[in-house]
Every structure is written in C-alpha cells, then in structure tokens.
Amino acid sequence: MDGGAATRPARAAAGGGAADAGTGSDTNANTVSGTGSNTVSDTDRLRPPVRIAVIAACPAQRSALRAALESRYRVDVFADGDTAIAWLREALPMVILIDDAAPEAAAGGRSAAAPWSALRTVHRLGFYPDLARVPLVGLTGDARSDLALDFRAGYRPLLVKPIRRSALLETVADLVNEQVELAWQNLAEPQRAALMKTVAVFNGVTDMIDAGRPVPYQTFRQSCSPLVEAVRGGAFRAVLEGVRGHDNYTYVHSLRVATFLCYFGHALGLPESDLTVLATGGLLHDVGKMSIPHEVLNKPGRLSSGEWGVMKSHVPRTLDFMDLVNEVPGGVRLIAAQHHEKLDGTGYPAGLKGAELNDLARMAAIVDVFGALTDHRAYKAAMAPEAALDLMHGMRGHLDHVLLALFREMLLDAAGAMDAA
Ligand SMILES: [Fe+2]
Ligand SMILES: [Fe+2]
C-alpha cells in the first residue's frame, strides 16, 4: 500500500458512502468544514465516500493519479498486483485504474528487478469473482502496448497518455454512476422508480435547454410522482441512501433537496398536489448550474467577485429554463427564484426581505442549506446533520426560524432521517 495507510479496512460493499462530484453549492458551504465531533461516523464523513483503486508500478504515475483523484474519491494506491489483490478483496473499490508504465530505473541506473506486467495483474483480478465485477480502466503511454490491445479487444475503457484530468474524472464518474444506477434495480418500488425517473429527466435537461423547445411540465411531474409516493409511504430514506455514491453532484443535490422538501411538506400535512410542487421544485431549483463553468462550480476556497457573479447567475439561468416549461406551477418557479433570498434582504437575486419571501421559498432555503452542508464535495467534507442544524440555528437573518425548528423536529422524529442525511 502506498502512502502509509493506517489500518486494514473492514469488508465494504461497493456503492456505499455519500455523494460527491459534479457541480458546486452556492450556499457558501465551502467556507465551512469539519464538524467538531469525533464520533466514528463523523470521522468517516470527513473522507470521500467512493473508493477507487490505482495499480501502477511507476511511483510517478501513482503520485499523479492519486493527486488527480483524491479530492473526489477515497483512493487506494498499489505498486503491484499481489498487494492490490490481497487488499482489494477485503475492501472492494468501485473502479480499478491500472497503469502499465514500467517501474522507474533504480538508483545507479539499474532497472527494477521484477518484470511488471499490468496485463498479468488484469488476468489475476479476473480469478476472484468479486474483483472480476469491478470495472477496470487501462492507462498507457503506448496505444499498441499489450494492455492497450487487450482493453481495446475487450471494449474496456482505455486512456492513452497524455491524459487530461477532466477525461480521467469523466471516465471514472461514468463507471461509478453506471454501478450506482444498476444497484437501484434491486430497490423496491416506488423507490426504484423515484431514482430511475428523476435521473432520466435530469440527464435530459441539458438537451432540453440546447433544443430550446417548450417542454411539458407533465414530464417533470410524472418523474417526481414515485418520489412523492415514496415519501408518503415513509420510504424516503431508501431514496437518500440510493443516491449516495452517484457522481453527478447537481443531480444528487437536487434529488436530496427534492426529497427533504417533499418530506418537510408531508410532515406539515400538505396535500399531495403541494408535495408534487415541492418535489419538482426541489429537483429543478438549480438546473441553471448546468451551464456554469466547472471551474467556478468546483473551485476550492473563495470565489472572486466575478466568479461569484457567475455563480449567482444560476438563478436567472434556471428561470430561463422554466420559461421553456409549459404551465410550470407558480410554486415551482418560486422555489427556484427565491431559494437564495434571505429574510434580512441580503440574499439574491432580488434582495427580497421578510414578508416578501414566499413560504415555499423559506422551506427551500432551509433544505438547500442543509443539503449543501451535509453533502460531501471535492472541496469540503460532509457535515454531520446535527452540526449542520446547529450552524443553521445561528443564521438568524437568513432562515425562517419557526420553519427551521419544525424541520429539525421533523428530522429528529423520522426514524433514520438523521443517518440518511
Ligand atoms: Fe441554488
Ligand atoms: Fe441548491
């Protein structure tokens, strides 16, 4: 194991852990880190949830791959197949990257003693049923190497150097998402449909924006209907757990906001039609982020004033998209338009104040901040739900405190809600 790992991990199923990756939150949650708590689960929240393995004999390649991946994933790095297999059988990764670069020459100009064969390691991984199911990505500097030819013949993903970090991350994210979505097939209804339908409609939004043609609101209402059913049936926790590990952050954040908003409304006794508005409003509230540049959305640390202006433009961009949606309910539009407004008038885009803020938007603001704080991002750890609620309690000029107290009560009352968050 490279990099001095501490203890051997317990056997872990692929697909566990919370979400990360994709677009950024604009709630300033990236300025907040840590939980102040030292329980086991809170400590675990500080680490990226999805496990990725790298097998590379060349130390420089190991370092480069670790550096490219570690802000988004829990990366286990190995110099040889034997060590990797012994370790990975105990802690299955979501994806294995295998680099065929030879070990660098040892000091004094002699080459490393053991011959390195990435392809032999690939074949050995196939001997173990659990490991054989983990998707592999080949990395090579020679498009005609043994590994390259084998991966091409087997239609396996292959990246030829020089490899752009964005291409590497995109390849890994696609494989992670494939597996997470495959696991949804095993969920009971309506939880399975809640996830499958919302991800399908969400993935289609970019095409809808590009096409610029009117979209029937029914498309979104129907995609959120199983989510409403799951929440009303008390199964929202399975939805939240199912989305963990998915690598499209905007989708993960939006689905979490939709689920919590819908549950919030359900706990307040709102009728089904309102729950549908809350669910669709939550799913669509940030779609404008899809056209914000990746480097702004995912920038670690503070945004410049110019970047902040671009980030804030996701609200009008979302409303532009809603102009394309036929007969979009007023509540859905309000959630999108006002979820960054603050009671003291310091929010955006309109700087609305006090009574000017709609109740749906007040609920959305609470859920949006809670979702952003408790999400894992490339630039920050996930905050424990209790710590997030405590922090939100101090946001006096921002959030509606009567609704916040109800939201807190609702989470504490719902069995497993705090764990699922
Ligand atoms: Fe937003
Ligand atoms: Fe949001």
Side-chain angles (χ1 to χ4, degrees):
M1 183 79 189
D2 206 45
T7 53
R8 195 171 187 83
R11 184 174 287 275
D20 143 63
T23 61
S25 164
D26 48 312
T27 56
N28 281 344
N30 54 336
T31 60
V32 182
S33 64
T35 64
S37 169
N38 59 359
T39 65
V40 173
S41 62
D42 286 356
T43 303
D44 211 39
R45 282 174 182 273
L46 298 174
R47 307 178 65 197
V50 172
R51 192 182 291 276
I52 303 291
V54 169
I55 308 175
C58 171
Q61 295 301 326
R62 289 199 295 276
S63 302
L65 289 166
R66 181 191 284 282
L69 295 162
E70 70 183 353
S71 67
R72 293 171 59 155
Y73 303 106
R74 201 176 294 196
V75 187
D76 294 328
V77 180
F78 307 93
D80 65 86
D82 288 344
T83 315
I85 287 168
W87 181 284
L88 296 177
R89 290 185 69 199
E90 297 297 316
L92 279 181
M94 279 275 222
V95 177
I96 299 173
L97 306 181
I98 184 150
D99 189 305
D100 69 358
E104 288 162 348
R110 294 180 56 204
S111 61
W116 157 247
S117 167
L119 193 53
R120 190 160 45 102
T121 296
V122 169
H123 292 156
R124 289 196 55 224
L125 287 166
F127 295 158
Y128 303 93
D130 283 356
L131 288 174
R133 283 193 287 271
V134 178
L136 296 176
V137 179
L139 298 105
T140 186
D142 175 5
R144 301 185 58 78
S145 70
D146 289 350
L147 186 81
L149 296 175
D150 182 85
F151 270 52
R152 285 226 173 84
Y155 298 101
R156 281 174 157 160
L158 176 75
L159 295 169
V160 180
K161 295 167 195 172
I163 301 165
R164 280 181 296 117
R165 181 173 182 265
S166 57
L168 175 70
L169 293 175
E170 201 176 305
T171 302
V172 173
D174 285 349
L175 292 170
V176 167
N177 288 346
E178 248 172 49
Q179 291 177 88
V180 170
E181 291 176 25
L182 203 62
W184 295 347
Q185 301 289 355
N186 301 324
L187 291 175
E189 297 291 3
Q191 296 85 281
R192 187 193 69 84
L195 290 160
M196 301 293 288
K197 291 194 171 195
T198 52
V199 83
V201 84
F202 206 82
N203 287 338
V205 164
T206 310
D207 290 340
M208 293 173 200
I209 292 172
D210 290 345
R213 282 196 296 273
V215 187
Y217 172 66
Q218 210 185 348
T219 306
F220 303 107
R221 189 176 54 75
Q222 283 176 349
S223 80
C224 286
S225 149
L227 175 60
V228 173
E229 203 184 323
V231 169
R232 294 178 82 206
F236 74 98
R237 183 179 173 174
V239 176
L240 293 171
E241 286 173 348
V243 83
R244 280 182 182 173
H246 201 283
D247 224 338
N248 176 345
Y249 178 73
T250 307
Y251 169 65
V252 172
H253 169 70
S254 302
L255 184 76
R256 281 164 51 82
V257 168
T259 306
F260 279 121
L261 253 185
C262 189
Y263 189 73
F264 198 177
H266 180 57
L268 294 175
L270 298 181
E272 186 176 353
S273 56
D274 287 347
L275 301 187
T276 304
V277 166
L278 289 166
T280 44
L283 190 68
L284 298 176
H285 79 287
D286 271 344
V287 292
K289 282 185 178 174
M290 291 195 205
S291 58
I292 301 285
H294 188 266
E295 57 275 18
V296 174
L297 285 166
N298 291 290
K299 182 178 174 181
R302 283 197 176 279
L303 300 176
S304 70
S305 64
E307 290 165 337
W308 182 233
V310 173
M311 177 65 95
K312 291 198 290 188
S313 74
H314 81 278
V315 176
R317 287 171 198 242
T318 300
L319 297 176
D320 285 347
F321 171 72
M322 286 189 179
D323 287 343
L324 291 176
V325 182
N326 282 338
E327 297 172 10
V328 63
V332 172
R333 213 181 153 83
L334 274 169
I335 288 169
Q338 297 187 6
H339 72 279
H340 290 296
E341 300 290 355
K342 298 180 182 177
L343 287 171
D344 61 8
T346 61
Y348 66 90
L352 299 180
K353 215 171 186 175
E356 294 172 317
L357 271 74
N358 183 278
D359 278 351
L360 289 176
R362 293 172 188 232
M363 291 166 70
I366 289 168
V367 171
D368 190 50
V369 172
F370 180 75
L373 291 171
T374 53
D375 277 344
H376 184 279
R377 299 304 316 282
Y379 48 71
K380 73 161 191 75
M383 186 177 273
E386 297 85 350
L389 290 168
D390 287 347
L391 185 76
M392 291 164 71
H393 187 68
M395 297 178 176
R396 286 272 159 201
H398 180 173
L399 303 170
D400 181 315
H401 276 259
V402 175
L403 285 172
L404 179 60
L406 289 170
F407 182 66
R408 181 181 197 123
E409 229 170 77
M410 174 203 96
L411 286 181
L412 291 171
D413 280 358
M418 293 297 251
D419 294 339

Short mmCIF file of all heavy atoms in Angstrom, two decimals, residues 242 274 308 383 405:
data_model
loop_
_atom_site.label_atom_id
_atom_site.label_comp_id
_atom_site.label_asym_id
_atom_site.label_seq_id
_atom_site.Cartn_x
_atom_site.Cartn_y
_atom_site.Cartn_z
N GLY A 242 -29.98 5.50 -1.69
CA GLY A 242 -29.73 5.03 -3.05
C GLY A 242 -28.90 6.01 -3.87
O GLY A 242 -28.13 5.61 -4.74
N ASP A 274 -49.44 19.67 -3.39
CA ASP A 274 -48.35 20.54 -2.91
C ASP A 274 -47.03 19.77 -2.82
O ASP A 274 -45.96 20.32 -3.07
CB ASP A 274 -48.69 21.12 -1.53
CG ASP A 274 -49.76 22.20 -1.63
OD1 ASP A 274 -50.04 22.66 -2.75
OD2 ASP A 274 -50.30 22.60 -0.58
N TRP A 308 -18.21 34.91 -8.39
CA TRP A 308 -19.42 34.88 -7.56
C TRP A 308 -20.63 35.36 -8.37
O TRP A 308 -21.73 34.82 -8.26
CB TRP A 308 -19.19 35.73 -6.31
CG TRP A 308 -20.33 35.77 -5.34
CD1 TRP A 308 -20.92 36.89 -4.82
CD2 TRP A 308 -21.02 34.65 -4.76
NE1 TRP A 308 -21.94 36.54 -3.97
CE2 TRP A 308 -22.02 35.17 -3.91
CE3 TRP A 308 -20.91 33.27 -4.89
CZ2 TRP A 308 -22.90 34.35 -3.20
CZ3 TRP A 308 -21.78 32.45 -4.18
CH2 TRP A 308 -22.76 32.99 -3.35
N MET A 383 -20.81 17.58 6.49
CA MET A 383 -21.03 17.93 7.89
C MET A 383 -22.08 16.99 8.48
O MET A 383 -23.03 16.61 7.79
CB MET A 383 -21.49 19.39 7.97
CG MET A 383 -21.61 19.92 9.37
SD MET A 383 -22.10 21.68 9.35
CE MET A 383 -20.52 22.45 9.24
N ALA A 405 -37.15 25.28 13.08
CA ALA A 405 -37.42 24.46 14.27
C ALA A 405 -38.28 23.26 13.88
O ALA A 405 -38.06 22.13 14.36
CB ALA A 405 -38.10 25.31 15.33
#
